[in-house]
Amino acid sequence: MLIEIDARGLACPKPVINTKKELDKLENGVIRVTVDNTMAKENIIKLSKSSNCESSVLREEEDLIVVEIIKGENVKIEEDTKVDLDNKCIFISSDKMGQGNDELGEVLIKGYIYTLTETKPYPKHIVFVNSGVRLTTVNEATVENLKILESNGVEVLSCGTCLDYYNLKESLQVGTVTNMYNIVEVMNNSLQTISI
């Protein structure tokens, strides 16, 4: 069975949501999703992986990208190599920690992320939204420590809408771009979400 979805022109996270709805209904078969931007393509591929499906890019032009997802019994599933991770999500919505003095807040958030590298088990996910995306882009101290966490299996996710808002999409240095659908899914599937 082949299902085709045209998600061009849809704002994030609609391409992923529309694809997930069809993927959930499909027992075995192929879904071809047409999108018009790289972020939507990456989010569709992540959805495919998290749903234990295979995916490939069939066509990629400036405003026309076609992703094929294969769902079925003979799909090869990548084994999860992440070890010693606690099923919790750290949700960071600012590039500062706490209220009051901004300079102190910047020192505290750097110290917090450094301390995460020294404390095990690591969280399974760290999600960055709003000005928190500066910590995965322009803040060299936090980027360095987040790379240590990522190399140990922690999934570092930055909100794509937030990166666009702050004009930082091209500055992402660690982790991957995500969307609100995936953020909600990560938080819902975590045993605990800690907001910073």
Side-chain angles (χ1 to χ4, degrees), residues 4-62:
E4 298 202 41
I5 300 170
D6 188 347
R8 289 174 288 182
L10 298 180
C12 173
K14 289 255 176 122
V16 174
I17 289 173
N18 292 354
T19 304
K20 176 130 176 52
K21 284 180 183 175
E22 293 300 327
L23 201 54
D24 288 345
K25 291 189 264 182
L26 186 67
E27 192 171 320
N28 291 304
V30 175
I31 296 178
R32 284 196 189 128
V33 187
T34 304
V35 294
D36 55 12
N37 62 81
T38 304
M39 187 186 309
K41 174 194 79 171
E42 291 169 0
N43 289 332
I44 298 292
I45 290 170
K46 282 183 210 162
L47 171 67
S48 173
K49 185 176 180 182
S50 71
S51 301
N52 295 326
C53 298
E54 288 181 4
S55 63
S56 60
V57 178
L58 299 182
R59 183 174 175 185
E60 187 162 8
E61 297 169 15
E62 189 174 325

Side-chain angles (χ1 to χ4, degrees), residues 24 32 73 111 115 145 155 165 178:
D24 288 345
R32 284 196 189 128
E73 296 172 11
T115 305
N145 288 313
E155 189 172 21
Y165 181 84
T178 192

Side-chain angles (χ1 to χ4, degrees), residues 133-144:
V133 298
R134 291 188 178 120
L135 302 173
T136 61
T137 55
V138 295
N139 189 319
E140 292 298 325
T142 55
V143 164
E144 182 182 330

Side-chain angles (χ1 to χ4, degrees), residues 8 13 34 43 47 60 65 75 77 90 108 121 131 177 195:
R8 289 174 288 182
T34 304
N43 289 332
L47 171 67
E60 187 162 8
I65 304 167
V75 172
I77 299 167
I90 307 291
L108 292 174
S131 66
V177 178
S195 294

Side-chain angles (χ1 to χ4, degrees), residues 24 36 57 96 105 111-112 118 127 171 173 178 185 193:
D24 288 345
D36 55 12
V57 178
K96 299 165 191 65
Y112 177 79
E118 298 294 318
V127 175
S171 303
Q173 295 187 56
T178 192
E185 192 173 57
T193 296

Side-chain angles (χ1 to χ4, degrees), residues 90-94 113 126-130 132-136 146 156-160 162 178 183:
I90 307 291
F91 184 82
I92 299 177
S93 59
S94 175
I113 291 175
I126 306 176
V127 175
F128 294 87
V129 300
N130 210 321
V133 298
R134 291 188 178 120
L135 302 173
T136 61
L146 289 169
V156 177
L157 303 167
S158 292
C159 165
C162 306
T178 192
I183 290 170

